[in-house]
Amino acid sequence: MLDFLGSIGHAIMVPLYYAVSFVLVGFHKLFSTFLDPSGGASWVLSIIGLTLTIRAALIPLFVKQIKSSRNMQLIQPKVRELQKKYGHDRERLAQETMKLYKESGTNPFASCLPILLQMPIFLALFRMLDQAAKKGREHGFLTADMAKEFGDSKLFGEIKVSGTFMNADNAGVMVLAAILVLAMTATTFMTQRQLMSKNMPADALSGPYAQQQKLLLYVLPVVFAVGGIAFPIGVLVYWTVSNLWTMCQQFYVIRNNPAPGTPAAAAKEERDREKAARKGLKTPAQLEEERLAAEADAKREEKADTRVQPQRQTKAQRATKSKKKR
């Protein structure tokens, strides 16, 4: 059974080794034109280039993640209503919740896609660097000679790119690894905090989804901090740069396309008002308010002008009415 699972894992990882090593080696050849090919700087810059390439390729998934996360926030009041209504019937509650997800175009798992897809790539890079350092083992386009060069490469002449905090052979490795672990942990926390404080409506800050977000806010940084001390410096560089990309990308999206009813949306509306005031224009929100006000005025005028037309009576009805008057 274990051999079978190992075969499946190997079949999955081999294409990733080729893909990761292709990008890594490509950037290394580029940076080797003006840097020492065996130096740590050329390999670290190659890892950064690999990170940026992967994150750029994941932008479409990030857009889906943002949309799904936003929808999850906006439908939380409806989810709570379903919980109150069908709390006694778990099967019906699950059915109605899935129906709500489908109607709103929400995929509760889409918010996890970018990080889930990065994990195999992260594992491939980790194994490549670890085995290059320990065994000089080749992977994909990373030949045995390049693997040994990669594993032995050093920054500032003494900090091995393959070194870890736990197995550091000098203080320089420990200091740089500690800085990168702290940076990785801080960027993870700040990214999640940014999402909760700026781009979540007030009514979405309670309930199961909000509790899940709060749990991730504090648990993920701890997980990365504990695991980070065993990661090679090259892998820490990859993950820290990836976190910085996520934080900046999320900041841009929240600032320019915030979820309705959030502090970020209120801040954007205020910026739009100030910008429009400087140019002597009206913001889309102001134009919409004027349109709605004009429609309301038109309806009131139409209602006031509407007169009830007298109904035409038959001869018998007129005679009956005349007798009643007498």
Side-chain angles (χ1 to χ4, degrees):
M1 184 64 179
L2 292 177
D3 291 339
F4 175 72
L5 293 176
S7 299
I8 294 177
H10 180 73
I12 294 173
M13 293 303 295
V14 167
L16 287 175
Y17 288 142
Y18 275 96
V20 171
S21 63
F22 176 78
V23 178
L24 185 69
V25 170
F27 274 110
H28 183 254
K29 288 183 177 179
L30 172 64
F31 292 121
S32 294
T33 57
F34 54 89
L35 292 173
D36 179 9
S38 61
S42 60
W43 283 110
V44 167
L45 288 175
S46 301
I47 292 171
I48 294 174
L50 169 68
T51 309
L52 299 181
T53 301
I54 291 171
R55 294 313 308 268
L58 292 176
I59 286 178
L61 284 177
F62 177 78
V63 173
K64 288 185 178 181
Q65 177 194 22
I66 288 292
K67 290 181 179 178
S68 178
S69 179
R70 178 175 300 175
N71 287 342
M72 285 291 292
Q73 295 166 16
L74 297 178
I75 66 173
Q76 285 309 297
K78 294 182 180 180
V79 171
R80 286 195 290 272
E81 290 178 7
L82 291 177
Q83 290 170 344
K84 291 179 181 178
K85 188 174 181 181
Y86 302 109
H88 61 284
D89 188 346
R90 290 183 176 275
E91 184 177 351
R92 182 67 185 279
L93 175 60
Q95 291 174 352
E96 293 297 326
T97 303
M98 292 306 297
K99 182 179 178 182
L100 177 62
Y101 287 157
K102 186 175 181 181
E103 290 175 351
S104 61
T106 303
N107 182 355
F109 302 106
S111 58
C112 302
L113 279 177
I115 193 169
L116 287 177
L117 288 178
Q118 279 192 88
M119 289 310 294
I121 299 170
F122 170 78
L123 181 60
L125 179 63
F126 178 85
R127 288 179 61 84
M128 279 178 55
L129 181 54
D130 187 59
Q131 294 186 7
K134 294 178 179 178
K135 303 175 183 178
R137 184 174 176 180
E138 59 184 8
H139 283 95
F141 294 99
L142 189 72
T143 64
D145 290 340
M146 294 183 73
K148 188 176 185 308
E149 184 181 273
F150 185 22
D152 294 338
S153 61
K154 294 181 179 181
L155 286 167
F156 312 116
E158 61 175 12
I159 302 175
K160 293 186 70 172
V161 176
S162 58
T164 68
F165 182 87
M166 291 183 65
N167 298 317
D169 54 6
N170 59 65
V173 173
M174 293 185 68
V175 171
L176 182 56
I179 291 172
L180 289 173
V181 168
L182 290 174
M184 182 176 65
T185 304
T187 50
T188 301
F189 178 84
M190 291 170 62
T191 300
Q192 189 66 19
R193 179 66 180 170
Q194 181 187 63
L195 177 64
M196 293 184 64
S197 63
K198 298 292 185 181
N199 207 41
M200 288 185 70
D203 57 358
L205 292 175
S206 60
Y209 181 73
Q211 294 303 318
Q212 176 188 356
Q213 295 298 310
K214 290 177 182 178
L215 184 65
L216 291 176
L217 174 64
Y218 295 103
V219 171
L220 279 181
V222 173
V223 171
F224 284 127
V226 173
I229 60 175
F231 294 161
I233 284 175
V235 176
L236 291 174
V237 169
Y238 168 85
W239 207 253
T240 302
V241 173
S242 182
N243 281 358
L244 286 170
W245 174 290
T246 300
M247 189 170 65
C248 295
Q249 186 173 242
Q250 183 174 272
F251 174 82
Y252 176 84
V253 172
I254 290 176
R255 178 179 173 83
N256 294 282
N257 191 22
T262 62
K268 184 178 186 302
E269 186 175 341
E270 182 62 27
R271 291 195 305 272
D272 290 342
R273 288 181 184 276
E274 292 176 357
K275 185 177 180 180
R278 289 196 299 269
K279 295 183 177 180
L281 303 173
K282 294 181 179 180
T283 66
Q286 290 174 321
L287 293 173
E288 181 66 13
E289 289 176 3
E290 292 181 0
R291 185 186 68 80
L292 293 174
E295 287 182 357
D297 291 340
K299 287 180 180 179
R300 284 194 294 268
E301 291 177 2
E302 183 180 351
K303 186 176 181 180
D305 292 341
T306 302
R307 296 177 180 176
V308 178
Q309 297 295 329
Q311 295 182 349
R312 187 173 182 179
Q313 297 179 338
T314 63
K315 187 175 182 181
Q317 288 173 330
R318 288 196 299 271
T320 302
K321 188 176 181 180
S322 177
K323 285 179 181 182
K324 287 181 179 180
K325 288 181 178 180
R326 291 178 186 173

